[in-house]
Amino acid sequence: DPRRNIQVRPYILTGLDIFENVNKPGQADHRMKYDAGGDIKLGLGPNVMLDATLSPDFGQVEADPAVLNLTAFETFFAEKRPFFLEGADIFKFGIGNSRLFYSRRLGANEPVIAAAKLSGHSEKGLSFGLLGTTAGKDFNPSNNYAVLRASQTIGHYSSMGGIFTYYYSPGESGTGWQSTTGGVDWDLR
């Protein structure tokens, strides 16, 4: 009998900074640092998965190469963070290099506090994904992101779907912006 898929990966990081005391030159001072968080993966059905992360640690992710960009356009890097890589094909929208959703913007300016992703597909060919992320310093949410994507297979080779993206930053702690975009795509063969 198939069993429910449940995976929990907690982590705890500690560190010790030793530095010279500003008020007493020549004397050492120290500061303890710590961080805790974790990931959970829960199979809600045979083809539906819920992923959640709290204070994710992306320290094991390979750093991006140094690039000198003298253009007015953003440099796009490949996604390497495990939470955003898994099931990323569901959120693809666009033709060629165009994209409505770029996951590297999530947590680009401030650390990700928490994120949750519900993804899967039905037996009748409906693929769906819902992603929500909040980011901010010191567990103070200042950037909130959401993406909803659905795509229905039609026949053997065709599909039709849509995407909705949302960004919100409250005015007091963030930048005070709000943005909503959406689109419809199809591939008829």
Side-chain angles (χ1 to χ4, degrees):
D1 291 336
R3 297 185 334 204
R4 177 169 280 187
N5 182 9
I6 299 174
Q7 298 175 23
V8 179
R9 292 182 300 239
Y11 78 89
I12 297 174
L13 298 173
T14 60
L16 175 65
D17 283 343
I18 299 175
F19 51 92
E20 184 176 10
N21 190 322
V22 177
N23 299 325
K24 299 177 185 176
Q27 289 188 354
D29 202 353
H30 70 281
R31 175 180 39 222
M32 288 292 298
K33 298 189 309 183
Y34 63 91
D35 194 11
D39 300 332
I40 185 167
K41 182 183 289 288
L42 178 63
L44 301 178
N47 299 319
V48 180
M49 191 66 70
L50 174 66
D51 293 300
T53 185
L54 178 65
S55 184
D57 175 32
F58 298 125
Q60 78 281 9
V61 177
E62 177 185 341
D64 293 320
V67 174
L68 178 62
N69 183 356
L70 299 176
T71 69
F73 304 103
E74 179 179 6
T75 301
F76 288 95
F77 294 105
E79 180 63 77
K80 298 176 184 177
R81 301 173 294 178
F83 178 83
F84 296 105
L85 269 178
E86 193 168 329
D89 56 332
I90 292 173
F91 295 100
K92 287 185 180 176
F93 181 88
I95 299 171
N97 291 331
S98 67
R99 57 181 77 163
L100 193 57
F101 170 62
Y102 180 47
S103 64
R104 287 294 299 263
R105 287 193 185 115
L106 307 180
N109 297 325
E110 295 178 331
V112 173
I113 295 172
K117 176 174 48 177
L118 179 68
S119 59
H121 59 276
S122 71
E123 293 178 10
K124 297 187 179 188
L126 176 66
S127 297
F128 61 90
L130 175 63
L131 172 68
T133 305
T134 184
K137 294 179 182 169
D138 300 323
F139 280 90
N140 183 17
S142 59
N143 294 295
N144 303 294
Y145 309 88
V147 180
L148 173 64
R149 173 77 163 126
S151 179
Q152 174 67 49
T153 301
I154 303 169
H156 292 291
Y157 305 108
S158 301
S159 65
M160 185 171 188
I163 191 169
F164 173 78
T165 67
Y166 178 74
Y167 168 73
Y168 174 68
S169 176
E172 295 172 7
S173 60
T175 55
W177 294 346
Q178 182 171 340
S179 174
T180 305
T181 58
V184 177
D185 64 340
W186 60 89
D187 182 8
L188 302 176
R189 298 177 190 209

